Amino acid sequence: MTTDQSRPGLRDRKKRQTRAALSAAALRLVAERGLDQVTVEEISEAADVSARTFFNYFPSKDEALLGDQPTDREVLAARIVAAPPELSAFDALRLAFGDVVEAVEADREVWLLRLRVIAANPSLLPRLISGNAETEQVIVAAVAARLGLDPCHGHPTLVTTVAGAVFRTALMQWVERPDTTTLRELTAEAFAAVAAGLPDPS
Amino acid sequence: MTTDQSRPGLRDRKKRQTRAALSAAALRLVAERGLDQVTVEEISEAADVSARTFFNYFPSKDEALLGDQPTDREVLAARIVAAPPELSAFDALRLAFGDVVEAVEADREVWLLRLRVIAANPSLLPRLISGNAETEQVIVAAVAARLGLDPCHGHPTLVTTVAGAVFRTALMQWVERPDTTTLRELTAEAFAAVAAGLPDPS
DNA sequence: AGCGATCTTGCAGGGACTGCAAACTTTTAG
DNA sequence: CTAAAAGTTTGCAGTCCCTGCAAGATCGCT
């Protein structure tokens, strides 16, 4: 378990660095040339590790671009169960995604690059936020726990997938005009539209 | 363009057969053994064609399992623009997906097998209905046309991705208990829940 | 310093997928 | 009916993704 109370330790720090270097190299190269014009070998070379090491960090080339940190899931799930109990499950998700928005805005440039890469390589799009089986399962479980419902009941799944779709849409809209609006606004609008039953805009 | 008013012609018939044989073989084998325990070579052999021919029909192993017919897209888009004008865009989609439900129920056994395969191999899930870039673009365009809106406006995209997520969850719920309920019911319930703003179930 | 735990790397190999060019088959035109 | 045209199937060669394994390097602790 390494050190518990001391600082991260050299080993962990190096791993973080390597992971970040691989992810950054992947984003940069794919942004420049396109997904299938970049090989794992080139990414690894740019990050100064062997190609084999790349696969110690990411199970596939795509994952290095999506940056779905396993810790994010747990944090998100925790916020969902911790949301004020008077909120509906959908509102709890709305709130939780607000925190995700903050995280994205804290890494604005990286996320804009990532979203540009995803927009330019649509095969990556389905795996952004929604459609990620692992993440979705965790969130569904959190929602079901919050509602005291069986996870096999349909409602938690429905709320989760819809919220994911909403946030994904907000992200893709944001990347198109990141300077004339904020992700926060777009997300709030999209969630509000769904909460209102998706009426046509007046 | 082949023959216009006569019957399909031998050539087209054979292509349909081969495509169907490949798709059926893929579904059967993957249902039996799992996605990564089946090779394209085995699928092709079961369909009596060469492995190279497989890739003349499907760009990837996955596509043979998902069966996203290009014609379906156009039909769906046409229904959306043709829906009664007093309906909201979301209700137009609700109606259009009703037709999809019929198509699925007409091929009940194949679709149940397909959905079982998808449930057992979650990497396929994101590409079911929603998240398919091609299909989504067509539907977004239809919705935008219906509303007389710029396709870059966010609303058509939002409505489309949400409706896709709704239908996808209905499908995945249906496959869990296909005998105690109908896809029609599940889809109607899910769309109704979203139209009501996704309140918690009482 | 030395031992155990962890990380990196090379190597070998399976399998997805593509481009190309040679058969082969259906369609069409004469 | 026949021959050219158009479209399809196939094998082959090759690239790249990804994995298991075992050896070597590095880190953390005593």
Short mmCIF file of all heavy atoms in Angstrom, two decimals, chain C residues 1-5 7 15 17 19 24-25 29-30, chain D residues 1-2 6-7 12 14 16 24 26-30:
data_model
loop_
_atom_site.label_atom_id
_atom_site.label_comp_id
_atom_site.label_asym_id
_atom_site.label_seq_id
_atom_site.Cartn_x
_atom_site.Cartn_y
_atom_site.Cartn_z
P DA C 1 26.02 0.83 -0.30
OP1 DA C 1 27.45 1.16 -0.35
OP2 DA C 1 25.14 1.31 -1.39
"O5'" DA C 1 25.84 -0.73 -0.14
"C5'" DA C 1 26.65 -1.40 0.80
"C4'" DA C 1 25.87 -2.53 1.40
"O4'" DA C 1 24.69 -2.02 2.08
"C3'" DA C 1 25.33 -3.53 0.36
"O3'" DA C 1 25.36 -4.80 0.95
"C2'" DA C 1 23.92 -3.02 0.08
"C1'" DA C 1 23.51 -2.51 1.45
N9 DA C 1 22.56 -1.38 1.42
C8 DA C 1 22.68 -0.22 0.71
N7 DA C 1 21.69 0.62 0.92
C5 DA C 1 20.86 -0.04 1.79
C6 DA C 1 19.63 0.30 2.39
N6 DA C 1 19.02 1.47 2.19
N1 DA C 1 19.08 -0.61 3.23
C2 DA C 1 19.71 -1.77 3.44
N3 DA C 1 20.86 -2.20 2.93
C4 DA C 1 21.39 -1.29 2.11
P DG C 2 25.12 -6.08 0.10
OP1 DG C 2 25.88 -7.20 0.69
OP2 DG C 2 25.27 -5.73 -1.33
"O5'" DG C 2 23.59 -6.31 0.40
"C5'" DG C 2 23.17 -6.72 1.70
"C4'" DG C 2 21.68 -6.97 1.67
"O4'" DG C 2 20.99 -5.70 1.59
"C3'" DG C 2 21.21 -7.79 0.46
"O3'" DG C 2 20.15 -8.63 0.89
"C2'" DG C 2 20.72 -6.72 -0.50
"C1'" DG C 2 20.08 -5.77 0.49
N9 DG C 2 19.87 -4.41 0.00
C8 DG C 2 20.64 -3.68 -0.88
N7 DG C 2 20.18 -2.48 -1.10
C5 DG C 2 19.03 -2.41 -0.32
C6 DG C 2 18.10 -1.35 -0.17
O6 DG C 2 18.12 -0.24 -0.68
N1 DG C 2 17.08 -1.70 0.71
C2 DG C 2 16.97 -2.91 1.35
N2 DG C 2 15.93 -3.06 2.14
N3 DG C 2 17.83 -3.91 1.20
C4 DG C 2 18.83 -3.58 0.35
P DC C 3 19.98 -10.07 0.30
OP1 DC C 3 20.71 -11.06 1.11
OP2 DC C 3 20.24 -9.95 -1.15
"O5'" DC C 3 18.42 -10.31 0.48
"C5'" DC C 3 17.77 -9.90 1.70
"C4'" DC C 3 16.41 -9.32 1.36
"O4'" DC C 3 16.57 -7.95 0.95
"C3'" DC C 3 15.70 -10.04 0.20
"O3'" DC C 3 14.49 -10.63 0.68
"C2'" DC C 3 15.45 -8.95 -0.83
"C1'" DC C 3 15.57 -7.67 -0.02
N1 DC C 3 16.05 -6.52 -0.84
C2 DC C 3 15.34 -5.30 -0.78
O2 DC C 3 14.35 -5.21 -0.06
N3 DC C 3 15.78 -4.24 -1.53
C4 DC C 3 16.86 -4.38 -2.31
N4 DC C 3 17.25 -3.32 -3.02
C5 DC C 3 17.58 -5.60 -2.38
C6 DC C 3 17.15 -6.64 -1.64
P DG C 4 13.65 -11.48 -0.37
OP1 DG C 4 13.20 -12.71 0.30
OP2 DG C 4 14.37 -11.53 -1.64
"O5'" DG C 4 12.38 -10.53 -0.56
"C5'" DG C 4 11.71 -10.02 0.59
"C4'" DG C 4 10.68 -8.99 0.16
"O4'" DG C 4 11.36 -7.85 -0.45
"C3'" DG C 4 9.69 -9.50 -0.89
"O3'" DG C 4 8.41 -8.98 -0.57
"C2'" DG C 4 10.25 -8.95 -2.20
"C1'" DG C 4 10.86 -7.63 -1.75
N9 DG C 4 11.99 -7.17 -2.57
C8 DG C 4 13.04 -7.93 -3.03
N7 DG C 4 13.91 -7.25 -3.73
C5 DG C 4 13.39 -5.95 -3.74
C6 DG C 4 13.89 -4.77 -4.32
O6 DG C 4 14.91 -4.62 -4.98
N1 DG C 4 13.05 -3.69 -4.07
C2 DG C 4 11.89 -3.74 -3.34
N2 DG C 4 11.21 -2.61 -3.21
N3 DG C 4 11.41 -4.84 -2.79
C4 DG C 4 12.21 -5.90 -3.01
P DA C 5 7.14 -9.39 -1.43
OP1 DA C 5 6.03 -9.70 -0.50
OP2 DA C 5 7.57 -10.38 -2.44
"O5'" DA C 5 6.79 -8.03 -2.17
"C5'" DA C 5 6.66 -6.84 -1.41
"C4'" DA C 5 6.49 -5.65 -2.35
"O4'" DA C 5 7.75 -5.36 -3.00
"C3'" DA C 5 5.47 -5.91 -3.48
"O3'" DA C 5 4.62 -4.78 -3.58
"C2'" DA C 5 6.34 -6.10 -4.72
"C1'" DA C 5 7.55 -5.23 -4.39
N9 DA C 5 8.77 -5.66 -5.05
C8 DA C 5 9.29 -6.93 -5.11
N7 DA C 5 10.42 -7.02 -5.76
C5 DA C 5 10.68 -5.72 -6.17
C6 DA C 5 11.73 -5.15 -6.91
N6 DA C 5 12.76 -5.85 -7.38
N1 DA C 5 11.68 -3.81 -7.13
C2 DA C 5 10.64 -3.11 -6.65
N3 DA C 5 9.59 -3.55 -5.94
C4 DA C 5 9.67 -4.87 -5.73
P DC C 7 3.40 -0.42 -9.77
OP1 DC C 7 2.74 0.87 -9.52
OP2 DC C 7 2.60 -1.61 -10.14
"O5'" DC C 7 4.53 -0.18 -10.88
"C5'" DC C 7 5.76 0.39 -10.51
"C4'" DC C 7 6.63 0.67 -11.72
"O4'" DC C 7 7.58 -0.40 -11.88
"C3'" DC C 7 5.87 0.75 -13.05
"O3'" DC C 7 6.43 1.82 -13.81
"C2'" DC C 7 6.07 -0.61 -13.67
"C1'" DC C 7 7.46 -1.01 -13.14
N1 DC C 7 7.63 -2.47 -12.94
C2 DC C 7 8.81 -3.10 -13.36
O2 DC C 7 9.69 -2.41 -13.89
N3 DC C 7 8.95 -4.43 -13.17
C4 DC C 7 7.97 -5.14 -12.59
N4 DC C 7 8.17 -6.45 -12.43
C5 DC C 7 6.77 -4.52 -12.16
C6 DC C 7 6.63 -3.19 -12.35
P DG C 15 -6.71 -16.06 -33.01
OP1 DG C 15 -7.66 -16.73 -32.11
OP2 DG C 15 -6.21 -16.73 -34.23
"O5'" DG C 15 -7.34 -14.69 -33.46
"C5'" DG C 15 -7.61 -13.72 -32.48
"C4'" DG C 15 -7.71 -12.37 -33.12
"O4'" DG C 15 -6.39 -11.90 -33.45
"C3'" DG C 15 -8.52 -12.35 -34.43
"O3'" DG C 15 -9.58 -11.44 -34.27
"C2'" DG C 15 -7.51 -11.91 -35.48
"C1'" DG C 15 -6.49 -11.14 -34.64
N9 DG C 15 -5.18 -11.04 -35.25
C8 DG C 15 -4.41 -12.06 -35.73
N7 DG C 15 -3.28 -11.66 -36.24
C5 DG C 15 -3.31 -10.28 -36.08
C6 DG C 15 -2.36 -9.30 -36.44
O6 DG C 15 -1.28 -9.45 -37.00
N1 DG C 15 -2.80 -8.02 -36.10
C2 DG C 15 -3.99 -7.73 -35.49
N2 DG C 15 -4.25 -6.45 -35.23
N3 DG C 15 -4.88 -8.64 -35.13
C4 DG C 15 -4.48 -9.89 -35.47
P DC C 17 -12.60 -4.81 -37.03
OP1 DC C 17 -12.98 -3.57 -36.35
OP2 DC C 17 -13.59 -5.85 -37.33
"O5'" DC C 17 -11.85 -4.42 -38.39
"C5'" DC C 17 -10.95 -3.33 -38.34
"C4'" DC C 17 -10.06 -3.31 -39.55
"O4'" DC C 17 -9.26 -4.49 -39.64
"C3'" DC C 17 -10.74 -3.21 -40.92
"O3'" DC C 17 -10.69 -1.86 -41.34
"C2'" DC C 17 -9.90 -4.13 -41.82
"C1'" DC C 17 -8.72 -4.48 -40.94
N1 DC C 17 -8.06 -5.78 -41.21
C2 DC C 17 -6.77 -5.79 -41.77
O2 DC C 17 -6.22 -4.71 -42.01
N3 DC C 17 -6.17 -6.97 -42.03
C4 DC C 17 -6.79 -8.12 -41.75
N4 DC C 17 -6.14 -9.25 -42.02
C5 DC C 17 -8.09 -8.14 -41.18
C6 DC C 17 -8.69 -6.96 -40.93
P DG C 19 -8.20 0.96 -47.90
OP1 DG C 19 -8.09 2.43 -47.90
OP2 DG C 19 -9.49 0.31 -48.22
"O5'" DG C 19 -7.09 0.38 -48.89
"C5'" DG C 19 -5.72 0.64 -48.63
"C4'" DG C 19 -4.86 -0.01 -49.69
"O4'" DG C 19 -4.81 -1.45 -49.44
"C3'" DG C 19 -5.38 0.15 -51.12
"O3'" DG C 19 -4.27 0.36 -51.99
"C2'" DG C 19 -6.09 -1.17 -51.39
"C1'" DG C 19 -5.28 -2.16 -50.56
N9 DG C 19 -6.04 -3.30 -50.05
C8 DG C 19 -7.32 -3.28 -49.56
N7 DG C 19 -7.74 -4.45 -49.16
C5 DG C 19 -6.67 -5.29 -49.40
C6 DG C 19 -6.54 -6.69 -49.18
O6 DG C 19 -7.36 -7.48 -48.71
N1 DG C 19 -5.28 -7.15 -49.58
C2 DG C 19 -4.29 -6.38 -50.11
N2 DG C 19 -3.16 -7.00 -50.42
N3 DG C 19 -4.40 -5.07 -50.33
C4 DG C 19 -5.62 -4.60 -49.95
P DC C 24 -11.59 -19.04 -62.17
OP1 DC C 24 -11.45 -20.34 -61.48
OP2 DC C 24 -11.40 -18.91 -63.62
"O5'" DC C 24 -13.02 -18.44 -61.81
"C5'" DC C 24 -13.34 -18.16 -60.44
"C4'" DC C 24 -14.57 -17.27 -60.39
"O4'" DC C 24 -14.20 -15.91 -60.72
"C3'" DC C 24 -15.67 -17.64 -61.39
"O3'" DC C 24 -16.81 -18.08 -60.68
"C2'" DC C 24 -15.94 -16.37 -62.19
"C1'" DC C 24 -15.33 -15.30 -61.30
N1 DC C 24 -14.88 -14.08 -62.01
C2 DC C 24 -15.51 -12.86 -61.72
O2 DC C 24 -16.41 -12.84 -60.88
N3 DC C 24 -15.11 -11.74 -62.37
C4 DC C 24 -14.12 -11.79 -63.27
N4 DC C 24 -13.75 -10.66 -63.87
C5 DC C 24 -13.46 -13.02 -63.57
C6 DC C 24 -13.86 -14.13 -62.93
P DT C 25 -18.12 -18.66 -61.49
OP1 DT C 25 -18.59 -19.86 -60.77
OP2 DT C 25 -17.74 -18.74 -62.93
"O5'" DT C 25 -19.20 -17.52 -61.35
"C5'" DT C 25 -19.35 -16.81 -60.11
"C4'" DT C 25 -20.34 -15.68 -60.29
"O4'" DT C 25 -19.67 -14.55 -60.92
"C3'" DT C 25 -21.53 -16.01 -61.19
"O3'" DT C 25 -22.70 -15.47 -60.61
"C2'" DT C 25 -21.19 -15.33 -62.51
"C1'" DT C 25 -20.43 -14.10 -62.03
N1 DT C 25 -19.46 -13.51 -62.97
C2 DT C 25 -19.51 -12.16 -63.21
O2 DT C 25 -20.31 -11.42 -62.68
N3 DT C 25 -18.57 -11.70 -64.10
C4 DT C 25 -17.62 -12.45 -64.77
O4 DT C 25 -16.82 -11.93 -65.55
C5 DT C 25 -17.63 -13.86 -64.47
C7 DT C 25 -16.64 -14.77 -65.14
C6 DT C 25 -18.54 -14.32 -63.60
P DA C 29 -27.82 -1.76 -71.83
OP1 DA C 29 -27.69 -0.33 -71.54
OP2 DA C 29 -29.14 -2.40 -71.96
"O5'" DA C 29 -26.95 -2.10 -73.13
"C5'" DA C 29 -25.52 -2.12 -73.01
"C4'" DA C 29 -24.92 -2.60 -74.32
"O4'" DA C 29 -24.91 -4.06 -74.32
"C3'" DA C 29 -25.70 -2.19 -75.57
"O3'" DA C 29 -24.79 -1.93 -76.61
"C2'" DA C 29 -26.56 -3.41 -75.86
"C1'" DA C 29 -25.65 -4.56 -75.43
N9 DA C 29 -26.36 -5.76 -74.99
C8 DA C 29 -27.52 -5.83 -74.28
N7 DA C 29 -27.91 -7.06 -74.03
C5 DA C 29 -26.93 -7.85 -74.60
C6 DA C 29 -26.75 -9.24 -74.67
N6 DA C 29 -27.59 -10.12 -74.14
N1 DA C 29 -25.64 -9.70 -75.32
C2 DA C 29 -24.79 -8.81 -75.85
N3 DA C 29 -24.85 -7.47 -75.84
C4 DA C 29 -25.95 -7.06 -75.19
P DG C 30 -25.29 -1.41 -78.02
OP1 DG C 30 -24.49 -0.20 -78.28
OP2 DG C 30 -26.77 -1.37 -78.01
"O5'" DG C 30 -24.81 -2.55 -79.02
"C5'" DG C 30 -23.49 -3.07 -78.92
"C4'" DG C 30 -23.40 -4.36 -79.73
"O4'" DG C 30 -24.14 -5.39 -79.04
"C3'" DG C 30 -24.01 -4.26 -81.13
"O3'" DG C 30 -23.17 -4.92 -82.06
"C2'" DG C 30 -25.34 -4.98 -80.99
"C1'" DG C 30 -25.00 -6.05 -79.97
N9 DG C 30 -26.14 -6.57 -79.22
C8 DG C 30 -27.17 -5.85 -78.66
N7 DG C 30 -28.05 -6.61 -78.06
C5 DG C 30 -27.58 -7.90 -78.23
C6 DG C 30 -28.11 -9.14 -77.78
O6 DG C 30 -29.13 -9.35 -77.15
N1 DG C 30 -27.28 -10.21 -78.18
C2 DG C 30 -26.12 -10.09 -78.89
N2 DG C 30 -25.49 -11.20 -79.17
N3 DG C 30 -25.62 -8.93 -79.31
C4 DG C 30 -26.39 -7.89 -78.94
P DC D 1 -29.91 -19.18 -77.16
OP1 DC D 1 -30.18 -20.46 -77.67
OP2 DC D 1 -30.07 -18.71 -75.82
"O5'" DC D 1 -28.61 -18.55 -77.84
"C5'" DC D 1 -28.37 -18.80 -79.21
"C4'" DC D 1 -27.07 -18.16 -79.55
"O4'" DC D 1 -27.23 -16.71 -79.54
"C3'" DC D 1 -25.95 -18.44 -78.56
"O3'" DC D 1 -24.73 -18.42 -79.29
"C2'" DC D 1 -26.06 -17.29 -77.58
"C1'" DC D 1 -26.46 -16.14 -78.50
N1 DC D 1 -27.33 -15.12 -77.87
C2 DC D 1 -27.06 -13.75 -78.08
O2 DC D 1 -26.10 -13.45 -78.79
N3 DC D 1 -27.85 -12.82 -77.53
C4 DC D 1 -28.89 -13.19 -76.79
N4 DC D 1 -29.67 -12.22 -76.27
C5 DC D 1 -29.20 -14.56 -76.56
C6 DC D 1 -28.40 -15.48 -77.11
P DT D 2 -23.38 -18.87 -78.66
OP1 DT D 2 -22.71 -19.81 -79.58
OP2 DT D 2 -23.65 -19.24 -77.26
"O5'" DT D 2 -22.56 -17.52 -78.67
"C5'" DT D 2 -22.78 -16.54 -79.73
"C4'" DT D 2 -22.02 -15.28 -79.38
"O4'" DT D 2 -22.90 -14.33 -78.74
"C3'" DT D 2 -20.86 -15.47 -78.41
"O3'" DT D 2 -19.84 -14.55 -78.75
"C2'" DT D 2 -21.48 -15.14 -77.06
"C1'" DT D 2 -22.38 -13.98 -77.48
N1 DT D 2 -23.53 -13.71 -76.58
C2 DT D 2 -23.94 -12.40 -76.42
O2 DT D 2 -23.39 -11.46 -76.96
N3 DT D 2 -25.00 -12.23 -75.58
C4 DT D 2 -25.71 -13.22 -74.91
O4 DT D 2 -26.67 -12.95 -74.20
C5 DT D 2 -25.23 -14.56 -75.12
C7 DT D 2 -25.92 -15.72 -74.42
C6 DT D 2 -24.17 -14.74 -75.94
P DA D 6 -18.94 -0.24 -68.06
OP1 DA D 6 -19.66 1.01 -68.37
OP2 DA D 6 -17.46 -0.25 -67.91
"O5'" DA D 6 -19.57 -0.87 -66.75
"C5'" DA D 6 -20.88 -1.43 -66.80
"C4'" DA D 6 -21.11 -2.27 -65.55
"O4'" DA D 6 -20.56 -3.59 -65.76
"C3'" DA D 6 -20.41 -1.70 -64.31
"O3'" DA D 6 -21.35 -1.61 -63.25
"C2'" DA D 6 -19.30 -2.71 -64.01
"C1'" DA D 6 -19.90 -4.00 -64.58
N9 DA D 6 -18.90 -5.00 -64.96
C8 DA D 6 -17.72 -4.80 -65.60
N7 DA D 6 -17.03 -5.90 -65.80
C5 DA D 6 -17.82 -6.89 -65.25
C6 DA D 6 -17.64 -8.29 -65.14
N6 DA D 6 -16.57 -8.95 -65.61
N1 DA D 6 -18.62 -8.99 -64.53
C2 DA D 6 -19.70 -8.33 -64.06
N3 DA D 6 -19.97 -7.02 -64.10
C4 DA D 6 -18.98 -6.35 -64.72
P DG D 7 -20.95 -1.05 -61.85
OP1 DG D 7 -22.05 -0.20 -61.37
OP2 DG D 7 -19.55 -0.54 -61.91
"O5'" DG D 7 -20.96 -2.37 -60.97
"C5'" DG D 7 -22.06 -3.27 -61.11
"C4'" DG D 7 -21.78 -4.55 -60.35
"O4'" DG D 7 -20.79 -5.33 -61.06
"C3'" DG D 7 -21.21 -4.32 -58.95
"O3'" DG D 7 -21.87 -5.22 -58.06
"C2'" DG D 7 -19.74 -4.68 -59.10
"C1'" DG D 7 -19.81 -5.78 -60.15
N9 DG D 7 -18.58 -6.01 -60.89
C8 DG D 7 -17.77 -5.08 -61.50
N7 DG D 7 -16.73 -5.61 -62.09
C5 DG D 7 -16.86 -6.98 -61.85
C6 DG D 7 -16.03 -8.06 -62.24
O6 DG D 7 -14.98 -8.04 -62.90
N1 DG D 7 -16.53 -9.28 -61.78
C2 DG D 7 -17.69 -9.41 -61.05
N2 DG D 7 -18.02 -10.66 -60.69
N3 DG D 7 -18.47 -8.42 -60.68
C4 DG D 7 -17.99 -7.23 -61.11
P DC D 12 -3.08 -17.43 -50.94
OP1 DC D 12 -2.25 -18.35 -51.74
OP2 DC D 12 -3.49 -17.78 -49.56
"O5'" DC D 12 -2.38 -16.01 -50.92
"C5'" DC D 12 -2.30 -15.24 -52.12
"C4'" DC D 12 -1.52 -13.98 -51.84
"O4'" DC D 12 -2.45 -12.90 -51.57
"C3'" DC D 12 -0.61 -14.07 -50.62
"O3'" DC D 12 0.63 -13.47 -50.92
"C2'" DC D 12 -1.38 -13.34 -49.54
"C1'" DC D 12 -2.10 -12.28 -50.36
N1 DC D 12 -3.36 -11.77 -49.76
C2 DC D 12 -3.68 -10.41 -49.89
O2 DC D 12 -2.92 -9.68 -50.52
N3 DC D 12 -4.83 -9.94 -49.35
C4 DC D 12 -5.64 -10.77 -48.68
N4 DC D 12 -6.76 -10.28 -48.17
C5 DC D 12 -5.32 -12.16 -48.52
C6 DC D 12 -4.18 -12.61 -49.08
P DG D 14 4.84 -8.07 -47.90
OP1 DG D 14 5.89 -7.41 -48.69
OP2 DG D 14 5.12 -9.26 -47.07
"O5'" DG D 14 4.17 -6.96 -46.98
"C5'" DG D 14 3.40 -5.92 -47.59
"C4'" DG D 14 2.57 -5.23 -46.53
"O4'" DG D 14 1.38 -6.00 -46.26
"C3'" DG D 14 3.29 -5.07 -45.17
"O3'" DG D 14 3.36 -3.70 -44.84
"C2'" DG D 14 2.45 -5.86 -44.20
"C1'" DG D 14 1.09 -5.86 -44.88
N9 DG D 14 0.24 -6.96 -44.45
C8 DG D 14 0.56 -8.29 -44.37
N7 DG D 14 -0.41 -9.02 -43.90
C5 DG D 14 -1.45 -8.11 -43.66
C6 DG D 14 -2.74 -8.32 -43.16
O6 DG D 14 -3.28 -9.36 -42.80
N1 DG D 14 -3.45 -7.13 -43.08
C2 DG D 14 -2.97 -5.89 -43.44
N2 DG D 14 -3.80 -4.86 -43.29
N3 DG D 14 -1.76 -5.69 -43.91
C4 DG D 14 -1.05 -6.84 -44.00
P DC D 16 1.76 1.06 -39.27
OP1 DC D 16 1.72 2.50 -39.58
OP2 DC D 16 3.02 0.38 -38.90
"O5'" DC D 16 0.70 0.76 -38.14
"C5'" DC D 16 -0.69 0.96 -38.42
"C4'" DC D 16 -1.51 0.20 -37.42
"O4'" DC D 16 -1.43 -1.21 -37.71
"C3'" DC D 16 -1.03 0.36 -35.97
"O3'" DC D 16 -2.07 0.96 -35.21
"C2'" DC D 16 -0.70 -1.06 -35.52
"C1'" DC D 16 -1.52 -1.91 -36.50
N1 DC D 16 -0.98 -3.28 -36.70
C2 DC D 16 -1.81 -4.39 -36.51
O2 DC D 16 -2.99 -4.21 -36.19
N3 DC D 16 -1.31 -5.62 -36.69
C4 DC D 16 -0.03 -5.78 -37.04
N4 DC D 16 0.42 -7.03 -37.20
C5 DC D 16 0.83 -4.66 -37.23
C6 DC D 16 0.32 -3.44 -37.06
P DG D 24 18.14 -10.92 -17.66
OP1 DG D 24 19.30 -11.12 -18.53
OP2 DG D 24 18.03 -11.58 -16.34
"O5'" DG D 24 17.98 -9.35 -17.43
"C5'" DG D 24 17.81 -8.50 -18.56
"C4'" DG D 24 17.28 -7.15 -18.10
"O4'" DG D 24 15.96 -7.32 -17.53
"C3'" DG D 24 18.12 -6.46 -17.03
"O3'" DG D 24 18.32 -5.11 -17.40
"C2'" DG D 24 17.26 -6.57 -15.76
"C1'" DG D 24 15.86 -6.57 -16.34
N9 DG D 24 14.85 -7.21 -15.51
C8 DG D 24 14.85 -8.48 -15.01
N7 DG D 24 13.79 -8.77 -14.30
C5 DG D 24 13.04 -7.60 -14.34
C6 DG D 24 11.79 -7.30 -13.75
O6 DG D 24 11.07 -8.02 -13.05
N1 DG D 24 11.39 -5.99 -14.04
C2 DG D 24 12.11 -5.11 -14.80
N2 DG D 24 11.58 -3.90 -14.98
N3 DG D 24 13.28 -5.37 -15.36
C4 DG D 24 13.67 -6.63 -15.08
P DT D 26 17.43 1.78 -13.95
OP1 DT D 26 17.50 3.00 -14.77
OP2 DT D 26 18.62 1.24 -13.25
"O5'" DT D 26 16.29 1.98 -12.87
"C5'" DT D 26 14.93 2.10 -13.31
"C4'" DT D 26 14.01 2.13 -12.11
"O4'" DT D 26 13.82 0.80 -11.59
"C3'" DT D 26 14.55 2.97 -10.93
"O3'" DT D 26 13.55 3.93 -10.60
"C2'" DT D 26 14.78 1.95 -9.82
"C1'" DT D 26 13.78 0.87 -10.19
N1 DT D 26 14.09 -0.50 -9.72
C2 DT D 26 13.15 -1.19 -8.98
O2 DT D 26 12.07 -0.72 -8.69
N3 DT D 26 13.53 -2.45 -8.60
C4 DT D 26 14.73 -3.09 -8.87
O4 DT D 26 14.95 -4.23 -8.47
C5 DT D 26 15.66 -2.31 -9.64
C7 DT D 26 17.00 -2.91 -9.99
C6 DT D 26 15.31 -1.06 -10.03
P DC D 27 13.83 5.08 -9.50
OP1 DC D 27 13.25 6.34 -10.01
OP2 DC D 27 15.24 5.00 -9.10
"O5'" DC D 27 12.93 4.59 -8.29
"C5'" DC D 27 11.55 4.30 -8.52
"C4'" DC D 27 10.95 3.62 -7.32
"O4'" DC D 27 11.51 2.30 -7.18
"C3'" DC D 27 11.20 4.35 -5.99
"O3'" DC D 27 9.96 4.54 -5.33
"C2'" DC D 27 12.16 3.41 -5.24
"C1'" DC D 27 11.81 2.04 -5.83
N1 DC D 27 12.89 1.02 -5.81
C2 DC D 27 12.64 -0.25 -5.27
O2 DC D 27 11.53 -0.48 -4.80
N3 DC D 27 13.63 -1.17 -5.29
C4 DC D 27 14.82 -0.88 -5.82
N4 DC D 27 15.76 -1.85 -5.81
C5 DC D 27 15.09 0.40 -6.38
C6 DC D 27 14.11 1.31 -6.35
P DG D 28 9.91 5.30 -3.91
OP1 DG D 28 8.62 6.02 -3.85
OP2 DG D 28 11.19 6.00 -3.70
"O5'" DG D 28 9.84 4.07 -2.92
"C5'" DG D 28 8.68 3.24 -2.90
"C4'" DG D 28 8.71 2.38 -1.65
"O4'" DG D 28 9.78 1.41 -1.79
"C3'" DG D 28 9.01 3.16 -0.36
"O3'" DG D 28 8.19 2.64 0.68
"C2'" DG D 28 10.50 2.91 -0.14
"C1'" DG D 28 10.69 1.51 -0.72
N9 DG D 28 12.00 1.25 -1.29
C8 DG D 28 12.83 2.13 -1.98
N7 DG D 28 13.94 1.58 -2.38
C5 DG D 28 13.87 0.26 -1.93
C6 DG D 28 14.79 -0.81 -2.07
O6 DG D 28 15.89 -0.81 -2.64
N1 DG D 28 14.31 -1.97 -1.47
C2 DG D 28 13.11 -2.07 -0.82
N2 DG D 28 12.83 -3.27 -0.30
N3 DG D 28 12.23 -1.08 -0.68
C4 DG D 28 12.69 0.06 -1.26
P DC D 29 8.30 3.24 2.16
OP1 DC D 29 6.91 3.35 2.64
OP2 DC D 29 9.18 4.42 2.12
"O5'" DC D 29 9.02 2.09 2.98
"C5'" DC D 29 8.53 0.75 2.89
"C4'" DC D 29 9.51 -0.20 3.52
"O4'" DC D 29 10.70 -0.29 2.68
"C3'" DC D 29 10.00 0.22 4.92
"O3'" DC D 29 9.83 -0.87 5.82
"C2'" DC D 29 11.48 0.56 4.71
"C1'" DC D 29 11.85 -0.28 3.51
N1 DC D 29 12.96 0.26 2.68
C2 DC D 29 14.04 -0.56 2.36
O2 DC D 29 14.06 -1.72 2.77
N3 DC D 29 15.06 -0.05 1.59
C4 DC D 29 15.00 1.21 1.16
N4 DC D 29 16.01 1.67 0.40
C5 DC D 29 13.90 2.07 1.48
C6 DC D 29 12.91 1.55 2.23
P DT D 30 10.04 -0.59 7.39
OP1 DT D 30 8.93 -1.24 8.10
OP2 DT D 30 10.33 0.85 7.59
"O5'" DT D 30 11.37 -1.41 7.71
"C5'" DT D 30 11.43 -2.78 7.31
"C4'" DT D 30 12.87 -3.28 7.43
"O4'" DT D 30 13.69 -2.67 6.42
"C3'" DT D 30 13.52 -2.96 8.78
"O3'" DT D 30 14.12 -4.15 9.29
"C2'" DT D 30 14.59 -1.94 8.44
"C1'" DT D 30 14.93 -2.30 7.01
N1 DT D 30 15.47 -1.19 6.19
C2 DT D 30 16.60 -1.41 5.43
O2 DT D 30 17.18 -2.46 5.41
N3 DT D 30 17.02 -0.32 4.71
C4 DT D 30 16.44 0.94 4.65
O4 DT D 30 16.90 1.84 3.96
C5 DT D 30 15.25 1.09 5.47
C7 DT D 30 14.55 2.41 5.52
C6 DT D 30 14.83 0.03 6.21
#
